[in-house]
Amino acid sequence: NGEQIAIVAVGQLPAYVFGRDPDCHVRLDHASVSRRHAAIVHDRRGQGQVVLMDLGSAHGTVVDGRRLGRGEQVVLKEGSNVRFGASTRSYMLSRGSKWEDDDDAQGRDVKRMRY
């Protein structure tokens, strides 16, 4: 229904791995999600960019409607929308404690990734 269902903090560690594996930082419980599906990496050297990398997932990672290739990486910006595999749940990147209603959710379950 597009409502925010949870907040996933991704700002403390240099990197966060998303996937089905119990050792992942953010565990995703969907059959189409790979054991180690994708990672968020903080580039603290330069301009503090947040980079999402597909880790060779079988069913892909989608950022702002564009499917990434296996191993591809993309710089996320505030408001970037990320989906893993065939799951309809989306993750939206937000900075700090700014949690406003998401007009772009389009009826999907949304989790916020806070950095």
Side-chain angles (χ1 to χ4, degrees):
N1 62 6
E3 72 182 63
Q4 178 180 314
I5 59 172
I7 296 171
V8 179
V10 292
Q12 297 295 320
L13 301 174
Y16 290 83
V17 176
F18 290 70
R20 285 187 298 114
D21 191 295
D23 291 333
C24 288
H25 298 97
V26 181
R27 188 140 188 275
L28 306 174
D29 190 22
H30 194 276
S32 67
V33 172
S34 297
R35 290 177 58 79
R36 295 176 54 82
H37 196 98
I40 285 183
V41 178
H42 295 276
D43 177 9
R44 301 204 191 278
R45 296 167 297 154
Q47 300 172 12
Q49 295 178 325
V50 178
V51 177
L52 179 84
M53 297 186 304
D54 181 277
L55 298 177
S57 66
H59 296 284
T61 303
V62 177
V63 177
D64 295 329
R66 186 177 76 78
R67 184 179 168 133
L68 302 182
R70 285 183 172 210
E72 185 177 351
Q73 43 186 310
V74 64
V75 175
L76 297 178
K77 58 188 182 304
E78 186 165 1
S80 286
N81 187 287
V82 180
R83 283 189 308 106
F84 302 97
S87 174
T88 58
R89 181 163 292 160
S90 63
Y91 295 75
M92 181 168 289
L93 189 69
S94 296
R95 182 181 295 274
S97 59
K98 178 182 171 190
W99 308 115
E100 299 173 358
D101 289 336
D102 176 22
D103 295 332
D104 296 327
Q106 300 173 351
R108 296 180 306 260
D109 287 337
V110 176
K111 283 193 175 190
R112 302 277 180 162
M113 296 183 293
R114 183 168 119 190
Y115 71 105

